[in-house]
Amino acid sequence: MVKTISIQTKSRMELQDITARVEDVVRAAKVKNGICHIFIPHTTAAVTINENADPSVQRDIVNWLNENVPFDADYGHSEGNASAHIKSTIVGIDREVFIEEGRLKLGAWQGIFFCEFDGPRRRNVYVKIVED
Ligand code: ZN
């Protein structure tokens, strides 16, 4: 079964830490060992796993993406959000994390981040837990 996490983003571009929300889904599933799949059903958003201790890492990622994939350039897509589509493809729309003893097996400094590239919007994150 797929669980949906609903989130509200607050700005055009942001990385939002959803680790605790994903952990809630894992806890509710009562699975001891397995895999947690995280899938983003959007074309202008993404998901990544990176440092959650120093927020400047998230700002650096956003700034790098904006410098290399600017909002305005000679894009063909008429909707005006071509850069968001490209950023979504670069970062990717799925990740997986192992579950061990009922908990996400993340590194000490890792968090799961929803990446908004065309907000603010109401967004969904799909989570599927597969037991070993
Ligand atoms: Zn578009």
Side-chain angles (χ1 to χ4, degrees):
M1 212 174 90
V2 175
K3 290 278 180 194
T4 302
I5 296 172
S6 197
I7 65 169
Q8 175 69 50
T9 59
K10 295 173 187 69
S11 39
R12 187 173 189 183
M13 265 188 79
E14 70 182 64
L15 268 60
Q16 189 174 127
D17 191 335
I18 58 168
T19 312
R21 303 285 306 277
V22 178
E23 271 173 349
D24 287 345
V25 174
V26 172
R27 205 172 304 117
K30 298 190 191 319
V31 166
K32 196 175 177 200
N33 297 302
I35 293 179
C36 174
H37 295 274
I38 302 145
F39 182 91
I40 307 300
H42 302 290
T43 61
T44 55
V47 62
T48 193
I49 295 174
N50 214 301
E51 172 159 343
N52 65 358
D54 179 2
S56 68
V57 172
Q58 295 148 47
R59 282 197 298 276
D60 287 342
I61 291 169
V62 166
N63 290 342
W64 188 92
L65 285 168
N66 280 335
E67 277 163 30
N68 289 277
V69 190
F71 290 119
D72 297 309
D74 189 21
Y75 300 121
H77 183 50
S78 61
E79 209 186 12
N81 60 358
S83 73
H85 290 291
I86 295 166
K87 288 164 185 161
S88 171
T89 283
I90 289 173
V91 177
I93 49 82
D94 63 319
R95 290 291 187 277
E96 57 183 35
V97 182
F98 304 130
I99 299 166
E100 206 172 75
E101 301 299 327
R103 300 208 57 200
L104 290 171
K105 197 167 173 61
L106 289 163
W109 307 108
Q110 286 181 319
I112 304 165
F113 291 89
F114 180 87
C115 307
E116 175 63 81
F117 299 133
D118 194 26
R121 293 192 195 208
R122 192 110 199 119
R123 297 290 203 173
N124 290 320
V125 178
Y126 293 163
V127 178
K128 186 177 182 73
I129 310 288
V130 179
E131 194 164 13
D132 277 352

